[in-house]
Amino acid sequence: MNRVEEYAARGFDRRTAEYFAGGRKKIVSVAPGENFTLLLDFDNGETRRFHMNPIIEDGTVFAFLSDRSNFERVYLDEDGCVSWDIDPAVDSRAVWSNKVDLSPDTCYLDSEPVEERDGPL
């Protein structure tokens, strides 16, 4: 059984199974883009765009990101996750509930390739 089939046998859909079989990707840089998108550079050389609008909804942990100044405070945490501190005055390494994040796997799987862009992130 090949690696894709192994992941599929565990219940992953085909696209997700192919992603994991091909090796997980690491985000090397993140920047806020227009219309609540994120521009992500991955360790395989790809640049991808992640649309945040579908998850920035009232009543969710991401609701505070509808304020553009909060959204623009995006950073990569020590685990390589795309992150935001809810209160920038609080150290999220000490108070875990102060941070919301997205895993690199989610960011890769739910994003689209960017063919060209102006300059580095």
Side-chain angles (χ1 to χ4, degrees), residues 50-63:
F50 185 88
H51 295 270
M52 289 289 296
N53 279 322
I55 64 174
I56 299 176
E57 297 181 3
D58 288 339
T60 70
V61 296
F62 295 103

Side-chain angles (χ1 to χ4, degrees), residues 33-61:
E34 295 179 7
N35 300 319
F36 294 95
T37 61
L38 298 171
L39 290 174
L40 306 160
D41 279 335
F42 287 86
D43 63 345
N44 65 350
E46 283 186 81
T47 297
R48 299 180 69 89
R49 180 175 289 111
F50 185 88
H51 295 270
M52 289 289 296
N53 279 322
I55 64 174
I56 299 176
E57 297 181 3
D58 288 339
T60 70
V61 296

Side-chain angles (χ1 to χ4, degrees), residues 2-3 9 13 16-17 19 25-27 35-36 41 49 51 53 65 70 78 80 84 88 94 97 100 102-103 120:
N2 72 33
R3 302 249 320 135
D13 63 55
T16 305
Y19 166 78
K25 314 297 185 280
K26 294 181 182 179
I27 301 170
N35 300 319
F36 294 95
D41 279 335
R49 180 175 289 111
H51 295 270
N53 279 322
L65 297 177
N70 290 336
E78 60 276 359
W84 294 266
S97 61
V100 297
L102 298 167
S103 77

